[in-house]
Amino acid sequence: LVPRTAEGSERLVRLLRDRGAEAVVAPSLRIVPPEDPEALAEAAAKASTYDLVLFTSGNTVDAFFAALASRGKDARALGTAEVAAVGPKTAEALAKYGVRADLVAKSTRAEGLLEELRRRHADLAKKRVLFPRAESARPVLLEGLRADGAEVDLVVAYRALPPNDEGRREIQAAVDEGVDAVLVSSGATFDHLVDALRDPACLRAAKLVSIGP
């Protein structure tokens, strides 16, 4: 079971199928725009005024550049701002829009990006940072940068909501049919997966595989 959106799981599904597994995609999250999309569009349009722009997921990248497009702008709006990405997959997402990340954290966690930023910049104090992110993202990176004296503008890029009734039925049907493993890519993915099931105990027979701690 791959509880991710079809768009976000294409590569994983292909890798599984190449190895003979049957990948069942049943998203436990719905990615929707922020309640105030204008805030993201406004921040994206003035990205060149920041020292750093941080990206922590492919969803954030897509939302950011969609917001730019709504203002008739493209990657040039980043100007000379340093672009940092969490993990190679986020860097690949940026490359689709013609942006090569200046810094790519090896870790796919916020802690990894914070560590890399501190290693690259001896002093983050007074650095102006634009940080588009999911509404429900962990505060680790934001709090760490502000503790170091950086001026961080946080803007919601998207919201990750639970599945609707149809989505819940798809998840339950997949589990009822029987799955050998569940591949979990975030805490929210698993939380909403469990909430969608009539009885979470039905997962006991499956191996739970997590992308990180």
Side-chain angles (χ1 to χ4, degrees):
L1 177 62
V2 180
R4 300 181 62 183
T5 62
E7 297 79 10
S9 58
E10 290 175 349
R11 184 166 180 267
L12 177 57
V13 167
R14 185 173 65 253
L15 290 170
L16 288 168
R17 289 174 178 167
D18 285 348
R19 286 157 177 77
E22 178 186 354
V24 181
V25 178
S28 65
L29 291 178
R30 289 182 294 130
I31 305 302
V32 301
E35 291 182 350
D36 180 14
E38 278 303 303
L40 176 61
E42 183 178 341
K46 62 179 184 181
S48 64
T49 66
Y50 291 88
D51 299 304
L52 291 160
V53 183
L54 312 181
F55 293 96
T56 52
S57 73
N59 286 327
T60 301
V61 172
D62 290 338
F64 180 88
F65 283 94
L68 270 184
S70 75
R71 291 293 180 92
K73 296 181 178 292
D74 57 22
R76 288 170 291 185
L78 287 162
T80 59
E82 181 181 339
V83 177
V86 164
K89 293 302 297 179
T90 303
E92 287 178 20
L94 285 164
K96 291 190 306 182
Y97 296 96
V99 176
R100 177 180 294 178
D102 299 292
L103 184 157
V104 182
K106 295 178 182 178
S107 169
T108 57
R109 306 180 71 215
E111 289 87 348
L113 181 55
L114 181 60
E115 182 180 334
E116 292 284 351
L117 286 168
R118 285 170 170 167
R119 183 180 297 119
R120 185 181 180 95
H121 297 278
D123 185 9
L124 285 165
K126 303 304 180 185
K127 290 282 187 183
R128 295 191 68 243
V129 181
L130 175 59
F131 184 17
R133 67 167 202 184
E135 184 177 57
S136 58
R138 294 186 304 136
V140 173
L141 187 53
L142 174 66
E143 292 176 354
L145 288 170
R146 285 179 173 168
D148 289 347
E151 299 176 4
V152 185
D153 284 349
L154 182 69
V155 61
V156 176
Y158 66 92
R159 293 175 293 153
L161 302 182
N164 55 24
D165 290 343
E166 181 181 354
R168 292 168 70 92
R169 287 193 293 270
E170 288 179 359
I171 292 170
Q172 187 67 59
V175 173
D176 287 346
E177 192 171 331
V179 294
D180 300 297
V182 181
L183 308 190
V184 183
S185 55
S186 73
T189 297
F190 188 68
D191 287 342
H192 291 315
L193 172 66
V194 170
D195 288 343
L197 297 171
R198 289 190 294 269
D199 180 8
C202 62
L203 292 177
R204 284 180 181 160
K207 291 189 180 300
L208 302 180
V209 185
S210 169
I211 196 171

